[in-house]
Amino acid sequence: SIRLQLCRCALLFTAALVVVGPRAMASPPRTFHRRPLPAPAVAFSSPEGKRLFAEALDRGTLGCFFRLIEQFHTQGEPAFCGLGSLAMVLNALGVDPKRVWKGPWRWFSEQLLDCCEPLERVQERGITFSKVACLARCNGAHVEAHRADEAESDRGATLEAFRKAVRRTCESEAEEENFQVMIVSYSRKALGQTGDGHYSPLGGYHAETDQVLILDVARFKYPPHWVPLTTLWS
């Protein structure tokens, strides 16, 4: 038939093009599926991580863990660690956003956290420590903010003050009206991890080994993990 002949001609023509001039194929973009968790971090689900969790639970230094784990959130964009941490914490604290999330529901999502910095800018550049504190305050949370590099002028920014604050937040019980949580801003480089500036909430403290449990909101990269408090401070 004419149709069959046309098809054959098209096939021959296509084959001729492939032989005469093969098209250069573009290299596929480099992608990743998670990262190996380097020492000194201890994965939450590892045998050692489970032991640390069980001992911390027995000693009462996981008071903030359960309300946080109910709201554990993976940041929605690579640069949304600050927004993802804050949405998780505000929901764990039971703060009413006074705005609709979807349908009839009032609930914190990263998209609602836009009162201090445009979301487009955060998606491109991330967000500063002061802007995270600003977002928490303007969305109804009481905030104490301390920077480790201001220890000389801020008594609440020393290593010992940091350890006391960790113990205070991790020993608080979920049913207490003054329930507190802590978000830490730190450099991944100090922990031997890839990347640099990052935010995540703390979910617990192991006093005997002086380690904290980081509930890493970049779950596509690293799982929750225990790290030495002093290393995190550095």
Side-chain angles (χ1 to χ4, degrees):
S1 67
I2 294 176
R3 179 175 296 177
L4 180 59
Q5 288 174 347
L6 288 173
C7 289
R8 284 177 178 171
C9 290
L11 288 172
L12 289 172
F13 183 62
T14 303
L17 284 176
V18 172
V19 172
V20 173
R23 185 179 64 176
M25 300 298 292
S27 299
R30 192 179 183 191
T31 61
F32 304 94
H33 179 249
R34 312 196 74 175
R35 289 282 198 182
L37 184 66
V42 176
F44 177 64
S45 61
S46 68
E48 176 65 8
K50 293 177 183 178
R51 182 187 68 82
L52 293 170
F53 180 84
E55 291 179 358
L57 182 62
D58 184 62
R59 289 158 178 74
T61 53
L62 285 170
C64 59
F65 174 82
F66 294 97
R67 279 176 63 170
L68 283 170
I69 208 67
E70 285 180 342
Q71 309 301 335
F72 203 176
H73 171 77
T74 300
Q75 62 190 73
E77 295 286 344
F80 273 14
C81 55
L83 301 186
S85 297
L86 192 54
M88 175 178 165
V89 162
L90 290 170
N91 286 326
L93 290 170
V95 178
D96 185 344
K98 308 296 184 182
R99 289 181 292 165
V100 170
W101 165 59
K102 291 182 181 180
W105 300 105
R106 300 192 305 272
W107 195 251
F108 279 106
S109 69
E110 294 157 332
Q111 284 66 37
L112 290 184
L113 300 174
D114 58 355
C115 59
C116 298
E117 190 84 345
L119 291 177
E120 295 79 10
R121 188 174 300 173
V122 178
Q123 185 173 350
E124 180 182 351
R125 305 178 183 178
I127 191 167
T128 63
F129 181 78
S130 60
K131 291 293 178 66
V132 172
C134 169
L135 280 169
R137 291 188 178 103
C138 74
N139 282 284
H142 172 75
V143 179
E144 292 181 20
H146 303 283
R147 295 179 59 100
D149 57 1
E150 297 177 354
E152 292 184 1
S153 59
D154 182 358
R155 292 182 179 180
T158 64
L159 173 60
E160 189 53 38
F162 176 55
R163 183 179 286 109
K164 288 181 179 178
V166 167
R167 294 192 70 112
R168 184 175 69 249
T169 57
C170 293
E171 290 175 353
S172 63
E173 293 295 334
E175 54 269 16
E176 292 180 359
E177 292 184 1
N178 63 342
F179 177 68
Q180 301 176 9
V181 292
M182 181 183 292
I183 295 174
V184 288
S185 173
Y186 60 99
S187 171
R188 287 195 183 275
K189 293 180 179 179
L191 302 175
Q193 300 174 3
T194 61
D196 197 357
H198 190 55
Y199 297 89
S200 280
L202 292 187
Y205 177 63
H206 189 271
E208 285 75 7
T209 60
D210 198 31
Q211 294 188 80
V212 293
L213 177 61
I214 297 178
L215 298 178
D216 199 327
V217 293
R219 291 194 285 178
F220 51 84
K221 186 175 186 180
Y222 294 118
H225 48 274
W226 296 92
V227 298
L229 183 145
T230 53
T231 305
L232 179 63
W233 174 257
S234 68

